Amino acid sequence: MGAVGACVSAVAEGGAPPASQDSSGQGWVTAAQDAGAPRCPHGALEDPHRGFVRCLEPGEADAGWLPPPPQPEPPPDDAGAPPPDGGDAGPIDGGSPDAAVVSAPPPVVEVKEPEFMNGDVPNVAKRIEKVSPELAQCVADHGGLTGASGSIKIQFLVRVRGRAEGVEILEARGVTPDAQRCIRQFLKNRHVGTPSTDPVGVTVTLSLRAAK
């Protein structure tokens, strides 16, 4: 009885009848309740998110405030379809790619004798020499040398696990900031050998010259 009284009070105060009420197609009904009822003869307002359907009254069928009918879902993109103009994805007007993104010839990299602090890391120079082609490619892919030669002075720590930690560029000449950043990221946490003590500071200089 209390629930019925609450429903009556809501209607008397101008509120909408509860969602479970079904007045022969008028008012709000759930989609499940509407499944067995006759189709709304004058159309319906639907809320798919909440699962409600409201049948329209005769005078509301052509009301200007009604929202437009739901639009169909767009078809999925066809990854294999050609571009709209039928062309390819190459440079506009057949031009060449931007010169700024073309790699320069990799320079020749020479690893100078490293300096140590608080110990030693045997063969660290040889380990860096093994990856000198990758270091040269960093320079080539990020602007190349700005002159005939250049150099990068690098410092890092080596602990028991034998990896370069805290890699920093101390000095650089003839290379771009992007190339310095690439080399720094490449050497970061790379295995360079077991130190004699924990930790050992390493300073090494890379000498660069343009390939002939």
Side-chain angles (χ1 to χ4, degrees):
M1 293 297 292
V4 174
C7 292
V8 173
S9 298
V11 175
E13 292 173 2
S20 59
Q21 183 174 345
D22 183 0
S23 303
S24 300
Q26 303 298 327
W28 290 96
V29 295
T30 65
Q33 292 167 328
D34 189 58
R39 179 187 298 270
C40 298
H42 305 292
L45 281 176
E46 300 185 21
D47 184 352
H49 299 289
R50 298 176 60 189
F52 291 112
V53 178
R54 177 184 179 276
C55 291
L56 298 178
E57 297 184 8
E60 297 176 326
D62 298 323
W65 53 266
L66 292 175
Q71 299 296 315
E73 291 292 331
D77 294 335
D78 187 357
D85 58 358
D88 55 28
I92 299 175
D93 298 332
S96 60
D98 188 352
V101 300
V102 177
S103 295
V108 177
V109 178
E110 180 184 356
V111 181
K112 298 295 186 179
E113 190 67 25
E115 299 175 4
F116 302 104
M117 181 179 296
N118 194 43
D120 185 15
V121 182
N123 300 321
V124 64
K126 292 183 179 180
R127 292 181 183 274
I128 296 178
E129 286 175 355
K130 287 183 178 180
V131 296
S132 60
E134 287 84 351
L135 299 176
Q137 197 64 46
C138 270
V139 178
D141 291 344
H142 295 85
L145 292 175
T146 59
S149 63
S151 63
I152 302 177
K153 190 174 185 179
I154 307 168
Q155 187 177 71
F156 52 86
L157 287 177
V158 184
R159 298 184 182 276
V160 175
R161 67 191 191 116
R163 298 186 177 275
E165 301 180 16
V167 180
E168 297 292 344
I169 305 296
L170 297 184
E171 298 176 8
R173 178 179 59 85
V175 294
T176 66
D178 285 343
Q180 299 174 39
R181 188 178 304 110
C182 178
I183 290 175
R184 179 174 174 268
Q185 292 296 325
F186 179 82
L187 291 177
K188 183 178 180 181
N189 290 323
R190 180 165 293 275
H191 185 75
V192 292
T194 303
S196 60
T197 57
D198 183 13
V200 172
V202 181
T203 302
V204 62
T205 299
L206 305 180
S207 178
L208 313 170
R209 67 176 188 275
K212 295 181 180 180

